[in-house]
Amino acid sequence: MPAVYSMLVSLLDVAGHASSSLRFIRDSPETVWALASLSLFIDTFVYMLTVSMLPEILQDSMGAPESANGVVTAMFGVGAVLGCFVSGILSDRIRERRGLQMISSLIYSVSGIVFYFARHYYQILLFRLIDGIASGVACTLLYASIGDVYPANLLAFKVAIVYFCNNIAYTIGPICGQRLFDMAGVKGPAALVIALGLLKLVALFVFSNDSLAIRSAVRSRAYVSAADDSTFSKSHESVASMSIPRLLMQPPVIISTLSIVTSIGIQCMLEGLVPLHLVDKLNHDQDNGITFVILGLVFTIMVPIVGKATDSLIEWRGETMRYYAMMFGAAATVCSVLLMALANSYAVMMVGYAFFAVADLCMFIPAQSAYGDFVNGANTDSMARGYSISVFAWALGAISLPPIGTALYSRFGFSKPSIAIAAIPCAICAIA
């Protein structure tokens, strides 16, 4: 009997220790950061998982015209815009992040179920629309959660690591999706989408507290930052929320939004024009994807470096350095595109493309972290609304500049359109 009692006491001690450890994990800002990284990885992986197989499904299995591919992509954009604005407004109004993120996890799984049973074109459209809604909600709230718990001099590096996970998913998603499709048809990737949605749901439920609750605890014990110029821990109460139109009238938000539209737009435009230019002018028709592997490696390696450098500059000279970094990125983007336009060999072209990747990050990372810093500095309950604008800017850049660049390429070639399209928005960002 004493032995049984001793064993029960030991089990209770272990359970109590495990409960205490889990409570510490759930209340930690680092957990918010880790789950945001996982969330963006899943979001990008789900999207890229199905990219490579959709043409085969639509054209070969469903007999849809090639123009249907663009409509499917557009449906994702529509869903993302809808999801980001609804979740941004709703999250700030009800002061809830975690619950809405869990709902987005279920929406991923629902999209996977639709994809699993898809036999017609309209079902593929519905799948992409639902996936877009889940993506809009997830991206808005994952960035808002990081902004809730980290101040200006730490935020850029945290955002950079989240974006690092995005780059990994962007690279491996199509490969995994095509392998699963070859093995099991549509049901293979669809089952994985369902599983990833449920995985994210369980991770949020078990390991995470709401970031707004963690924010309150962090402020009360002045945990996050001891920087004199940080407003993060100076007040325990936030003032009234700003509406999205009012946020868009704030100079930091306007500049950051322009920077994101420009960086993402030029990046997506070059992703379409560079392969055409390599074949048409440089006679490099045996690429086998190596160009984008090089670009992906540069992005992956440089993302944490740019994020850490941005934080160091802000800690050294204050928030103004964020905008100098974005201005440098804009100027460097124009120079890199000019180098690519003048390149007469594949090697020089790749040097310019790698330089562009670094310049693009110098615009994007400081801009993406600026929303959270502005909301913290203004001490207002508008974090999710701010990042809904960020997600919209991302979508706007991705769908606006590439069609313009492609149309101009067919008439004027690579050099003139790429230089003009890069120089005009970059100049506007630098002046702003």
Side-chain angles (χ1 to χ4, degrees):
M1 194 70 180
V4 174
Y5 175 77
S6 177
M7 185 174 65
L8 288 173
V9 170
S10 298
L11 288 174
L12 288 173
D13 287 342
V14 170
H17 179 72
S19 177
S20 177
S21 299
L22 182 59
R23 193 179 306 113
F24 174 79
I25 292 172
R26 288 172 60 88
D27 293 338
S28 172
E30 285 75 14
T31 303
V32 174
W33 179 30
L35 289 175
S37 301
L38 174 66
S39 181
L40 190 58
F41 176 87
I42 289 175
D43 175 73
T44 306
F45 188 82
V46 166
Y47 180 82
M48 297 305 297
L49 189 72
T50 54
V51 162
S52 61
M53 71 190 70
L54 278 179
E56 186 172 347
I57 295 172
L58 292 171
Q59 275 76 60
D60 296 348
S61 301
M62 298 181 178
E66 292 184 354
S67 59
N69 298 4
V71 178
V72 170
T73 302
M75 289 301 291
F76 179 86
V78 171
V81 170
L82 178 64
C84 75
F85 282 128
V86 171
S87 64
I89 295 170
L90 184 61
S91 179
D92 283 337
R93 181 165 296 175
I94 67 175
R95 295 189 59 76
E96 174 70 34
R97 306 274 195 259
R98 176 170 169 260
L100 293 175
Q101 290 185 78
M102 292 170 70
I103 291 174
S104 77
S105 304
L106 289 174
I107 297 175
Y108 280 123
S109 294
V110 170
S111 73
I113 293 171
V114 172
F115 192 44
Y116 189 91
F117 293 103
R119 297 294 182 272
H120 304 284
Y121 175 53
Y122 76 89
Q123 293 171 319
I124 299 295
L125 289 177
L126 181 61
F127 157 67
R128 263 301 186 240
L129 176 65
I130 298 173
D131 182 31
I133 293 172
S135 178
V137 175
C139 290
T140 297
L141 297 181
L142 71 89
Y143 283 118
S145 297
I146 299 174
D148 285 336
V149 298
Y150 287 106
N153 62 323
L154 298 176
L155 193 55
F157 180 70
K158 310 303 179 185
V159 168
I161 295 301
V162 172
Y163 197 58
F164 174 86
C165 295
N166 169 82
N167 290 337
I168 294 175
Y170 186 88
T171 302
I172 67 175
I175 300 172
C176 296
Q178 192 61 51
R179 292 289 180 85
L180 286 171
F181 182 73
D182 292 340
M183 292 169 54
V186 170
K187 294 183 177 180
L192 184 55
V193 171
I194 297 169
L196 288 173
L198 295 176
L199 171 65
K200 180 185 169 185
L201 175 66
V202 171
L204 287 167
F205 180 79
V206 174
F207 295 110
S208 177
N209 200 350
D210 193 274
S211 60
L212 290 171
I214 298 174
R215 176 189 179 91
S216 298
V218 163
R219 284 182 162 192
S220 65
R221 62 181 186 264
Y223 170 79
V224 171
S225 176
D228 292 335
D229 61 343
S230 174
T231 58
F232 186 89
S233 58
K234 290 181 180 178
S235 172
H236 290 266
E237 299 295 333
S238 295
V239 297
S241 297
M242 289 187 185
S243 65
I244 289 177
R246 188 180 171 193
L247 279 170
L248 281 169
M249 294 174 64
Q250 308 304 312
V253 176
I254 294 173
I255 295 169
S256 299
T257 301
L258 286 173
S259 184
I260 290 176
V261 171
T262 300
S263 64
I264 298 299
I266 295 175
Q267 178 186 337
C268 293
M269 179 192 73
L270 291 178
E271 286 175 356
L273 297 189
V274 167
L276 296 174
H277 182 61
L278 290 176
V279 174
D280 294 342
K281 298 299 180 182
L282 300 181
N283 298 317
H284 187 82
D285 55 357
Q286 301 296 325
D287 189 72
N288 296 322
I290 191 64
T291 296
F292 293 109
V293 172
I294 294 172
L295 184 69
L297 285 174
V298 176
F299 271 125
T300 302
I301 294 169
M302 293 304 299
V303 156
I305 297 174
V306 172
K308 189 64 176 177
T310 302
D311 282 341
S312 299
L313 287 171
I314 293 171
E315 190 168 12
W316 176 47
R317 290 292 186 181
E319 177 63 20
T320 306
M321 296 306 296
R322 182 190 307 279
Y323 302 100
Y324 281 115
M326 292 158 62
M327 185 170 65
F328 167 79
T333 296
V334 175
C335 293
S336 65
V337 173
L338 181 61
L339 177 60
M340 295 170 66
L342 297 177
N344 56 7
S345 69
Y346 179 73
V348 177
M349 187 74 175
M350 286 301 95
V351 171
Y353 212 6
F355 181 29
F356 164 77
V358 179
D360 192 58
L361 290 173
C362 290
M363 292 184 69
F364 177 79
I365 295 299
Q368 187 72 1
S369 57
Y371 294 90
D373 180 58
F374 169 76
V375 171
N376 284 327
N379 209 34
T380 177
D381 290 329
S382 302
M383 188 70 73
R385 285 183 176 94
Y387 276 109
S388 70
I389 296 172
S390 162
V391 174
F392 175 74
W394 188 316
L396 181 61
I399 65 177
S400 59
L401 293 187
I404 297 173
T406 304
L408 292 176
Y409 177 87
S410 62
R411 183 171 182 179
F412 299 105
F414 179 80
S415 300
K416 292 180 181 178
S418 58
I419 293 173
I421 293 175
I424 294 172
C426 284
I428 294 173
C429 289
I431 293 170

